[in-house]
């Protein structure tokens, strides 16, 4: 090895984190746990402003002496150390000095944030050891059934970023094609929930609500949480941002308040107000799930086993003891019919039972979007109108939220079965839910918002009915696509505002929905998609698809 470019050897020791004040923190690596031989640091870290979406990427110049001496290859896994910390990353080889010079090691946005040092800081790099779970991965690819220890090893390596995107894809596809049996789904869920931060609220029950997704505008969580918290139940709600949808709960809540408070602050908010509505990405709960989602979503893979493991691992890690699960059913929902919904329910119930989580599954109407708005500002408008008991509030969003909140309230041993709906309705009608929501918003950091004059994007166009008829079909997927093409969720005021719903009579020329966009290009993309396929079908009343609900 060329003098002046000696590479230190890392030996790290992860120690299980103790529970402190009812919370458990992620194991971290102290400087004492890193033992290195004396070295003279020669590479300096450079922040390469590229969003690689949950993948750590390092950039090394091809003419760098470290690259030549160590025999690195593009896409190989490397170990990077600085200031007592270490990360693993996939290596990209650079031929342009403007990206990184021969004396620098570049890091993508995610990798730079994880390492937590300033630009120019001394940095060490060496080849990473092969993930120990790779043989188990190969067996899964071959269609074999894996053991609990196999899944624990795989999940730990995934959470430690030891898998490349290619290996992650192979694992996701193998699990999807081979269809995990229910024991394997339990093994995967248990492994995912045990890696990373695990919360203990020292209270019972700790309740949560989750929908499997696929229904635009379905912002019931932002209504259920303040209702349940106003009743006095503990509901620490961490939610996701949109990946392929026009808005996630966190995106819509971000219109009203900050959603990324420091974890210690989030803990205090929950203790004081009995709830929060925050983004879960900063909580380090089931971190392997975040890595896997980055692969699953672009591939449009959402197999039942992986869905169950993803949802339940997050809830277990968050300290939930009771979960209400919403499975919408409809022609353009994730679940198309009642038999498939019942099968998915049984899988959720089996895994939840093995993990000691009390689960209540409800099958709901997924034939069309819930509420009127699709997109962060439009959905926030709908939520606040429901909380304010505004006559313009969408009745379907209000009713679904009340029914879900009622079921959650029945987790309270002092609430009799069947009484929850009336209690939830009283909390909403009395203004107590609005007061609780306002307290949560203020605690998280309020933003100015007027539901009577929401800050919608300035450009718009309408899609109108071409004849007198009845709305017989509303395509969730197409309307979500149109809203995203219009700019949602990145542009908060963009999206789709529904003026007609399933079963509504319409006259020729009446507006079905209005699309908002901030930029002419976005408006034109959305217009072309809507003109090609509006997402609405018109016909006779008897053509409206049958309703499947189980409240």
């Amino acid at each position: 090895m060329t003098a002046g470019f000696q590479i230190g050897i890392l030996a790290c020791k992860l120690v299980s984190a103790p529970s402190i004040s009812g919370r458990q923190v992620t194991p971290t690596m102290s400087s004492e746990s890193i033992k290195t031989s004396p070295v003279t640091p020669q590479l300096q870290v450079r922040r390469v402003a590229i969003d690689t979406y949950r993948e750590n990427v390092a950039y090394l110049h091809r003419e760098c002496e470290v690259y030549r001496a160590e025999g690195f290859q593009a896409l190989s896994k490397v170990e990077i150390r600085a200031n007592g910390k270490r990360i693993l990353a996939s290596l990209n080889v650079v031929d342009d000095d403007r990206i990184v010079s021969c004396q620098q090691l570049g890091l993508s946005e995610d990798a730079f944030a994880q390492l937590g040092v300033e630009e120019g800081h001394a940095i060490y790099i060496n080849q990473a050891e092969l993930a120990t779970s790779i043989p188990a991965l190969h067996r899964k690819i071959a269609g074999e059934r894996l053991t609990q220890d196999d899944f624990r090893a795989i999940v730990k390596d995934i959470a430690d970023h030891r898998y490349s995107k290619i290996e992650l894809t192979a694992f996701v596809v193998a699990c999807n094609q081979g269809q995990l049996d229910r024991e394997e789904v339990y093994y995967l869920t248990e492994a995912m929930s045990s890696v990373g931060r695990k919360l203990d609220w020292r209270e019972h029950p700790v309740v949560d609500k989750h929908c499997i997704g696929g229904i635009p505008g379905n912002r019931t969580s932002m209504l259920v949480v303040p209702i349940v918290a106003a009743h006095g139940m503990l509901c620490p709600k961490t939610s996701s941002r949109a990946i392929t949808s026009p808005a996630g709960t966190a995106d819509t809540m971000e219109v009203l308040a900050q959603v990324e408070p420091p974890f210690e602050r989030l803990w205090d908010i929950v203790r004081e107000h009995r709830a929060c509505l925050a983004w879960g990405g900063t909580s380090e709960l089931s971190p392997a799930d975040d890595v896997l989602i980055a692969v699953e979503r672009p591939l449009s893979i959402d197999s039942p086993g992986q869905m169950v493991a993803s949802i339940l691992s997050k809830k277990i890690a968050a300290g939930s003891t009771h979960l209400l699960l919403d499975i919408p059913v409809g022609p353009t929902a994730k679940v198309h019919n009642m038999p498939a919904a019942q099968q998915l329910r049984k899988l959720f119930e089996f895994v939840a039972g093995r993990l000691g989580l009390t689960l209540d599954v409800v099958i709901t109407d997924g034939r069309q979007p819930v509420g009127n708005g699709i997109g962060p500002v439009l959905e926030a408008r709908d939520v606040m109108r429901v909380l304010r008991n505004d006559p313009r509030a969408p009745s379907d969003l209000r009713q679904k939220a009340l029914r879900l909140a009622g079921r959650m309230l029945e987790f309270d041993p002092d609430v009799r079965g069947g009484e929850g709906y009336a209690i939830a309705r009283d909390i909403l009608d009395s203004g107590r839910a609005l007061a609780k929501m306002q307290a949560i918003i203020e605690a998280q950091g309020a933003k100015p918002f007027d539901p009577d004059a929401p800050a919608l994007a300035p450009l718009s166009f309408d899609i109108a009915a071409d004849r007198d008829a009845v709305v017989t079909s509303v395509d969730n997927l197409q309307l979500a696509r149109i809203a995203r093409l219009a700019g949602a969720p990145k542009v908060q005021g963009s999206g789709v505002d529904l003026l007609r719903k399933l079963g509504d009579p319409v006259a020729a020329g009446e507006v079905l929905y209005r699309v908002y966009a901030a930029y002419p290009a976005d408006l034109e993309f959305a217009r072309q998609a809507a003109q090609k396929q509006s997402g609405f079908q018109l016909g006779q009343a008897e053509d409206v698809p049958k309703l499947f609900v189980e409240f």
Side-chain angles (χ1 to χ4, degrees):
M1 184 180 298
T2 305
F5 285 94
Q6 303 174 56
I7 307 299
I9 299 174
L10 171 69
C12 71
K13 181 180 179 183
L14 290 179
V15 181
S16 296
S19 178
I20 302 175
S21 299
R23 70 198 84 173
Q24 191 176 46
V25 296
T26 306
T28 56
M29 183 178 298
S30 66
S31 57
E32 290 80 6
S33 67
I34 298 178
K35 300 178 182 179
T36 62
S37 57
V39 291
T40 303
Q42 295 294 327
L43 297 182
Q44 290 84 44
V45 66
R46 179 172 184 177
R47 180 182 182 180
V48 179
I50 297 178
D51 180 2
T52 52
Y53 190 64
R54 298 192 183 281
E55 182 181 17
N56 291 342
V57 177
Y59 304 88
L60 197 60
H61 199 285
R62 192 183 304 277
E63 297 303 318
C64 176
E65 289 192 52
V66 170
Y67 173 74
R68 295 202 305 266
E70 288 296 304
F72 291 113
Q73 293 183 351
L75 300 183
S76 62
K77 276 290 181 179
V78 295
E79 183 180 77
I80 300 162
R81 294 179 291 113
N83 198 31
K85 296 181 180 180
R86 68 119 186 171
I87 62 170
L88 297 172
S90 297
L91 181 66
N92 282 7
V93 180
V94 173
D95 292 308
D96 191 335
D97 290 342
R98 291 171 297 181
I99 300 175
V100 290
S101 71
C102 292
Q103 289 74 44
Q104 293 175 323
L105 178 72
L107 294 180
S108 63
E109 292 282 28
D110 276 4
F112 186 81
Q114 284 186 37
L115 199 59
V117 297
E118 298 293 329
E119 277 199 293
H121 195 284
I123 200 167
Y124 303 94
I125 178 174
N126 62 292
Q127 295 187 36
E129 294 181 3
L130 184 69
T132 59
S133 64
I134 291 298
L137 169 62
H138 290 164
R139 294 200 306 275
K140 193 61 194 172
I141 293 171
E144 294 184 25
R145 184 179 184 278
L146 300 185
T147 67
Q148 188 167 21
D149 287 341
D150 288 333
F151 279 105
R152 286 174 176 171
I154 289 172
V155 168
K156 185 179 185 307
D157 282 340
I158 289 173
D160 288 343
H161 295 276
R162 291 193 175 276
Y163 273 30
S164 67
K165 273 289 177 69
I166 295 172
E167 290 161 341
L168 286 169
T169 302
F171 177 68
V172 168
V173 172
C175 290
N176 182 60
Q177 287 183 336
Q179 283 298 328
L180 305 175
D181 66 35
R182 66 178 195 169
E183 288 288 340
E184 287 183 298
V185 177
Y186 161 65
Y187 295 155
L188 177 60
T189 309
E190 186 274 336
M192 289 170 61
S193 66
S194 64
V195 174
R197 195 193 304 267
K198 197 165 185 179
L199 305 182
D200 181 4
W201 296 96
R202 305 289 175 88
E203 190 168 327
H204 189 89
V206 178
V207 301
D208 204 345
K209 170 261 170 190
H210 191 87
C211 176
I212 66 169
I215 307 299
N218 191 22
R219 292 284 77 84
T220 55
S221 291
M222 294 178 65
L223 298 166
V224 168
V225 169
I227 290 172
V228 170
H231 180 72
M233 302 180 79
L234 192 72
C235 186
K237 181 65 177 172
T238 56
S239 303
S240 61
R241 292 188 182 277
I243 297 176
T244 58
S245 66
T249 298
D251 299 303
T252 302
M253 183 64 181
E254 197 167 32
V255 174
L256 307 175
Q258 302 293 333
V259 295
E260 299 183 28
F263 178 76
E264 296 296 327
R265 175 58 184 152
L266 197 62
W267 179 275
D268 292 338
I269 290 170
V270 173
R271 279 302 182 200
E272 181 178 357
H273 299 287
R274 309 297 292 166
C276 67
L277 280 157
W279 179 53
T282 58
S283 302
E284 298 176 1
L285 303 173
S286 187
D289 180 50
D290 298 327
V291 178
L292 288 171
I293 285 175
V295 174
E296 292 166 356
R297 294 299 173 85
L299 291 172
S300 297
I301 289 178
D302 199 9
S303 68
Q306 290 165 334
M307 181 195 300
V308 170
S310 173
I311 293 171
L312 295 188
S313 67
K314 276 281 200 290
K315 304 308 177 184
I316 294 292
S320 298
T321 63
H322 293 66
L323 173 65
L324 180 72
L325 184 71
D326 175 13
I327 301 180
V329 177
T332 56
K334 284 186 178 180
V335 179
H336 301 320
N337 53 63
M338 187 61 77
Q342 295 287 9
Q343 186 176 9
L344 183 59
R345 165 196 271 186
K346 290 178 181 178
L347 182 57
F348 267 107
E349 289 173 342
F350 170 79
V351 177
R354 291 285 297 272
L355 292 167
L357 177 68
T358 299
L359 179 67
D360 185 13
V361 179
V362 291
I363 298 172
T364 61
D365 183 5
R367 298 173 299 165
Q368 63 178 338
V370 176
N372 298 329
I374 304 173
V377 167
L378 289 163
E379 293 175 19
R381 175 204 65 187
D382 287 354
V383 166
M384 295 309 297
R385 284 180 176 176
V386 172
L387 286 169
R388 294 170 62 181
N389 295 301
D390 191 312
R392 296 169 294 176
S395 60
D396 59 342
L397 178 61
R398 172 187 163 90
Q399 288 303 314
K400 183 172 183 179
L402 285 174
R403 287 170 174 159
L404 292 172
R407 292 286 282 262
M408 285 185 72
L409 290 173
E410 290 170 15
F411 286 143
D412 182 346
D414 294 329
V415 175
R416 294 180 181 179
E419 292 182 351
Y421 179 86
I423 295 172
R425 185 179 57 194
D426 177 67
I427 292 172
L428 180 61
D429 290 347
S430 67
R432 291 162 57 199
L434 175 61
K436 177 58 70 174
M437 184 62 158
Q438 289 174 331
I440 293 171
I441 289 171
E442 291 294 331
Q444 290 186 199
K447 295 182 178 181
F449 180 76
D450 182 359
D452 294 323
L456 297 173
L459 306 177
S460 66
F461 67 87
D462 293 343
I463 294 295
D466 59 1
R467 64 185 188 277
D468 295 350
V470 171
V471 178
T472 60
S473 176
V474 182
D475 189 327
N476 290 304
L477 297 175
Q478 181 63 4
L479 287 173
R481 179 171 179 265
I482 292 168
R484 284 187 65 86
L485 288 171
K490 187 174 181 180
V491 180
Q492 290 184 330
S494 296
V496 173
D497 198 10
L498 300 174
L499 303 180
R500 295 291 183 272
K501 302 294 284 285
L502 200 63
D504 286 349
V506 293
E510 283 189 344
V511 177
L512 299 173
Y513 60 85
R514 183 166 293 124
V515 179
Y516 292 93
Y519 304 103
D522 291 347
L523 189 77
E524 188 58 29
F525 286 139
R527 190 197 307 273
Q528 291 177 11
Q531 289 175 345
K532 185 175 181 180
Q533 183 182 347
S534 71
F536 273 64
Q537 289 187 10
L538 305 180
Q540 303 301 314
E542 57 268 23
D543 297 328
V544 176
K546 185 180 179 180
L547 172 64
F548 293 105
V549 292
E550 207 183 64
F551 278 117

